[in-house]
Amino acid sequence: MEMYIAPNNTRLASQYPSSSYLPEEDDTDDGSTLTIPYSYSVYFREDESIEWSKRWDLYFNNQEDSNVIHWLAIVNSFVICTLLTVIVVMVINRTYRQVHGKDGSGDDAKLLLKRRKPMSGTKSPRSREKAPAGLLQQEGEAERNDDFESDEEYIEDISGWKLLHGDVFRAPQYAAYLAPLIGSGMQLVFMATGLLILSCIGILNPSFRGGFVSVGMGLFIFAGVVSGYFSSRLYKTFGGTHWRSNTLMTALLFPGLLFTTIFILNLFVWAQASSTALPFGTLVGLIALMLLIQLPLVYMGSWYGFHQSQPYEHPTKTASAPRPIPEQAWYTQGIYPGLIAGFVPFAVVFIELLFVFRSLWQDKSGYYYVFGFLSIVSLVGIFTVVEVTIVATYIMLCQENHHWWWQSVFIGGGSSFWIFCYCVVFYYTKLKITGFVSALLFFSYSFLACCVYGLLTGTVGFLTAYAFVRRVYGAIKVD
């Protein structure tokens, strides 16, 4: 370090009038330097009062104060989930009464495809009260009118979702893409479940540097067997025959898009010469894991699911011609069902999301640690996704809309849209990030995380809707 102090001659004459020497002003640099060495020492003192399990509490500020907010988040989640549970019970009870009748005998569950015609007589009013017989009306005509009235009430009873028994299990459009996405979603479900369990029991902790990402990648790779099995069996249910193409798409579609996006973002980090950039060897290792380990595991699961397993059985047969869909309400068209239904799971988890964002972007530890609270909120959130999907699917079927396959995925993953909006709000209100590359990385990685979350919850929504539809239509009898 160099230091130069110039002489101050401006007030010397006035301050020291009796001085016999005053230095002359000289602006020339004689090249003189002064080196001042700086050094420091570190002393480590062991504190025996701190337990080993609480060694990271120094970095987790306001832990006691945040526990209250965590419990409030859990209470908020349970309140919303309880309200949804009441709605789901009402839906199931109404469906049961429509299928089995008021007395539960099951006689009303039999559907007649053709409306019976009255033998003779005029049409009676559509009223449950019997009209009084006139003087000129014969007894037989009154009985035939009563039969006609009961037929009309019976036709009204089978309207709505029961009319879709011949189309509800029709293979959806773009089924070749739906099956691989559901398979990749099962991988994510397996990975997320494993990470939460390992974090709750203490295996994954802040002292295990990089363990969360490494273990998550390992779980995702080895869950390729599960992905291939569910994807191929669903593909076989849709009537597909090219199971090898489905295997390649399952193994490469979602992981390939994810890796390509990360590689492109990593180029921007390389351009900034940042130490956080992934080394080239790490990227090559990820490609090797995907091609040499995950692809064979997906192939094994696909072979077993397609050749050794039967397709999922459907309780009703699919008609040869698709049934026309009547005009739908605006909230059952396009992306509106997913956006409306997705707001409810977001309301369950948004308080806990605030702690996750603060831990990742604001705290000096950069690590989220309260996995017990996160597990409870996650379970309640998944249960909320299940209930919302059941209600939304039932409303769609009552509107005589049998295109529920893709809609169930969008409804289950609809909360990811609101989470991304929450990321945008958090960026502009809480963070002070400057620079184009930094902002690009924040929004890009937030978008990738929301896509992963959306596919996970979308898979849960699809499995829920599939089980609900099979259960409901399995309870009716069709002639």
Side-chain angles (χ1 to χ4, degrees):
M1 178 180 292
E2 298 181 358
M3 181 179 294
Y4 172 73
I5 302 177
N8 186 7
N9 298 328
T10 56
R11 299 181 180 179
L12 291 179
S14 60
Q15 292 180 358
Y16 305 100
S18 61
S19 177
S20 60
Y21 171 76
L22 293 177
E24 298 180 358
E25 295 184 3
D26 187 7
D27 295 336
T28 60
D29 187 5
D30 58 356
S32 299
T33 60
L34 178 63
T35 303
I36 301 176
Y38 284 89
S39 63
Y40 66 92
S41 61
V42 178
Y43 174 72
F44 294 95
R45 178 176 58 86
E46 182 179 1
D47 191 352
E48 298 180 354
S49 62
I50 300 178
E51 299 179 2
W52 175 259
S53 59
K54 298 182 179 180
R55 64 191 184 278
W56 287 92
D57 292 353
L58 175 64
Y59 303 97
F60 302 144
N61 297 326
N62 301 325
Q63 183 176 3
E64 296 181 357
D65 297 337
S66 63
N67 286 342
V68 178
I69 305 178
H70 283 297
W71 284 113
L72 290 177
I74 293 176
V75 171
N76 169 72
S77 304
F78 274 109
V79 169
I80 298 176
C81 188
T82 302
L83 295 176
L84 278 176
T85 303
V86 173
I87 297 175
V88 171
V89 170
M90 293 173 61
V91 168
I92 294 177
N93 183 44
R94 180 180 178 183
T95 305
Y96 180 84
R97 291 172 63 88
Q98 288 181 353
V99 171
H100 297 281
K102 297 181 179 180
D103 57 351
S105 61
D107 294 337
D108 296 337
K110 195 172 184 179
L111 297 183
L112 299 180
L113 300 182
K114 293 184 180 180
R115 177 176 174 177
R116 292 183 297 178
K117 297 181 180 180
M119 295 178 60
S120 63
T122 59
K123 181 177 180 180
S124 60
R126 296 175 62 180
S127 173
R128 295 186 180 274
E129 298 180 357
K130 181 183 293 186
L135 296 177
L136 300 178
Q137 185 178 10
Q138 299 180 0
E139 182 178 358
E141 293 180 357
E143 294 178 356
R144 285 192 293 268
N145 289 337
D146 292 340
D147 293 338
F148 185 80
E149 181 180 347
S150 62
D151 290 342
E152 286 186 334
E153 294 177 356
Y154 188 78
I155 294 299
E156 289 180 355
D157 183 66
I158 65 172
S159 62
W161 62 270
K162 291 183 180 181
L163 298 176
L164 300 179
H165 62 88
D167 297 272
V168 69
F169 294 108
R170 189 180 303 277
Q173 293 182 345
Y174 308 107
Y177 296 97
L178 180 60
L181 288 178
I182 297 302
S184 298
M186 292 302 300
Q187 272 185 290
L188 296 176
V189 171
F190 183 86
M191 179 192 70
T193 304
L195 287 176
L196 283 179
I197 293 176
L198 294 177
S199 300
C200 289
I201 63 180
I203 295 179
L204 295 179
N205 51 65
S207 62
F208 187 13
R209 286 292 182 182
F212 200 82
V213 178
S214 300
V215 174
M217 180 63 65
L219 292 175
F220 183 83
I221 293 296
F222 287 102
V225 177
V226 180
S227 172
Y229 172 79
F230 280 95
S231 176
S232 62
R233 190 174 180 185
L234 187 61
Y235 179 74
K236 186 177 182 180
T237 304
F238 291 153
T241 56
H242 305 286
W243 69 277
R244 290 185 177 87
S245 300
N246 179 74
T247 300
L248 291 176
M249 190 173 295
T250 304
L252 302 178
L253 178 61
F254 179 75
L257 291 175
L258 196 63
F259 175 81
T260 302
T261 306
I262 293 176
F263 177 77
I264 295 175
L265 294 176
N266 201 56
L267 295 178
F268 288 93
V269 183
W270 275 343
Q272 297 292 322
S274 176
S275 60
T276 59
L278 294 176
F280 182 76
T282 302
L283 298 177
V284 174
L286 291 177
I287 296 177
L289 287 175
M290 187 168 56
L291 297 179
L292 301 180
I293 297 180
Q294 183 195 231
L295 183 58
L297 291 176
V298 174
Y299 186 88
M300 292 171 54
S302 297
W303 178 84
Y304 186 84
F306 193 85
H307 293 283
Q308 302 297 323
S309 302
Q310 297 296 326
Y312 294 105
E313 296 182 359
H314 295 157
T316 60
K317 295 181 179 180
T318 303
S320 57
R323 179 184 178 86
I325 300 177
E327 184 178 357
Q328 301 292 303
W330 66 270
Y331 53 83
T332 60
Q333 299 179 9
I335 62 174
Y336 294 110
L339 296 181
I340 297 174
F343 187 79
V344 180
F346 168 74
V348 171
V349 301
F350 84 99
I351 298 179
E352 195 65 30
L353 280 177
L354 179 61
F355 290 94
V356 176
F357 291 163
R358 285 180 177 177
S359 299
L360 296 179
W361 298 103
Q362 289 184 319
D363 290 351
K364 53 188 175 182
S365 64
Y367 191 84
Y368 183 82
Y369 61 97
V370 283
F371 290 100
F373 291 108
L374 181 62
S375 300
I376 297 175
V377 174
S378 298
L379 290 176
V380 178
I382 292 297
F383 196 69
T384 305
V385 170
V386 170
E387 294 178 328
V388 165
T389 306
I390 292 176
V391 174
T393 304
Y394 178 77
I395 294 175
M396 186 179 304
L397 295 178
C398 289
Q399 296 287 333
E400 301 182 17
N401 185 0
H402 54 83
H403 293 164
W404 60 271
W405 300 90
W406 282 103
Q407 284 291 349
S408 63
V409 179
F410 297 147
I411 291 170
S415 56
S416 60
F417 170 79
W418 299 106
I419 293 178
F420 183 75
C421 295
Y422 194 50
C423 293
V424 175
V425 174
F426 186 82
Y427 174 84
Y428 285 105
T429 58
K430 300 295 183 181
L431 300 181
K432 297 180 181 179
I433 298 178
T434 58
F436 171 75
V437 176
S438 300
L440 176 65
L441 293 177
F442 175 83
F443 287 110
S444 299
Y445 282 118
S446 299
F447 180 76
L448 285 180
C450 291
C451 288
V452 171
Y453 173 83
L455 182 58
L456 189 152
T457 54
T459 302
V460 174
F462 174 83
L463 297 178
T464 301
Y466 197 17
F468 173 74
V469 172
R470 292 175 62 190
R471 180 67 176 176
V472 167
Y473 284 90
I476 63 177
K477 299 177 182 179
V478 181
D479 284 350

